[in-house]
Amino acid sequence: MTHHTESVAPEGVSIDGKTIALLVTDGVELLELTEPLAAIRGAGGTPKIVSPKKSSLQAMKGDWEHADHFDVDHQLGTVSASDFDALVLPGGTLNADSLRIDEKAQEFVSGFFSESKPVAAICHGPWILTEVGQVSGRRMTSYAALRTDLSNAGAQWVDEEVVVDGGVVTSRTPKDLDAFNRVFLELVAARA
């Protein structure tokens, strides 16, 4: 299935040979999945959808409007952080709420921190980072509704388009996707 997207890789950024996991399930915000997929491919990387779902998942436009279905590349539990170079955590309320209480998802995400690999989370995506203890002391942003959760978990929450703290990139909404993708890909490219 082809999706039209304006998002392309930043000029001169190459992540050739790198494989990026996108951890998602039903209810993922459509653009927060399709635009990073296109940006990763545009920079020469290989995106892989990892999900608790076996074969396909349902994306959404907002929380109520059903969008496209996407094939799952790897079921959660069959791969680990060591199989990838970086991780993207798209938002969508239902997607993020479901993943943050999934023990296999928590284990998968924790692996990227154990291996010091880049993690990018947008909108509701950072929710799972509170569950795996990766928020305290970090400067972060997210969808405004997560501000209290992240702050209570020890984050310094800011209202900015894109924030980088160590190897973690966060953004607020689909409007921030161009900056989110650019900064994330530059971070992945810098880690030769």
Side-chain angles (χ1 to χ4, degrees):
M1 181 170 299
T2 327
H3 296 275
H4 174 70
T5 179
E6 298 302 316
S7 187
V8 292
E11 199 63 42
V13 174
S14 169
I15 60 166
D16 284 348
K18 298 199 186 268
T19 305
I20 313 297
L22 294 97
L23 177 60
V24 292
T25 191
D26 289 333
V28 64
E29 175 67 44
L30 181 67
L31 289 177
E32 292 170 14
L33 178 57
T34 57
E35 294 218 2
L37 283 170
I40 291 163
R41 287 187 188 113
T46 304
K48 294 288 183 182
I49 293 176
V50 178
S51 179
K53 304 283 291 183
K54 270 196 174 107
S55 55
S56 78
L57 58 95
Q58 171 77 59
M60 305 288 273
K61 288 181 186 167
D63 289 337
W64 309 109
E65 187 185 338
H66 285 238
D68 301 333
H69 283 87
F70 290 84
D71 292 337
V72 172
D73 295 304
H74 301 287
Q75 189 175 15
L76 208 51
T78 66
V79 287
S80 71
S82 57
D83 298 310
F84 303 97
D85 296 292
L87 172 65
V88 176
L89 297 167
T93 312
L94 302 172
N95 166 68
D97 195 38
S98 177
L99 289 173
R100 74 182 177 133
I101 58 170
D102 183 310
E103 287 181 16
K104 285 183 180 170
Q106 292 173 10
E107 193 177 306
F108 184 69
V109 171
S110 292
F112 286 86
F113 289 94
S114 300
E115 298 187 20
S116 300
K117 293 181 175 178
V119 173
I122 187 167
C123 202
H124 285 82
W127 236 350
I128 195 169
L129 301 182
T130 64
E131 304 294 334
V132 299
Q134 292 298 332
V135 169
S136 187
R138 273 189 210 282
R139 193 168 177 276
M140 304 176 78
T141 194
S142 66
Y143 188 67
L146 269 64
R147 178 182 185 160
T148 301
D149 287 353
L150 292 172
S151 296
N152 286 344
Q156 179 196 344
W157 192 90
V158 293
D159 185 10
E160 294 175 15
E161 182 179 54
V162 63
V163 177
V164 183
D165 187 309
V168 178
V169 177
T170 51
S171 284
R172 302 167 301 190
T173 70
K175 291 181 185 135
D176 301 330
L177 275 162
D178 285 342
F180 176 75
N181 289 332
R182 183 187 72 248
V183 170
F184 172 65
L185 291 172
E186 287 170 351
L187 188 64
V188 172
R191 302 171 66 90

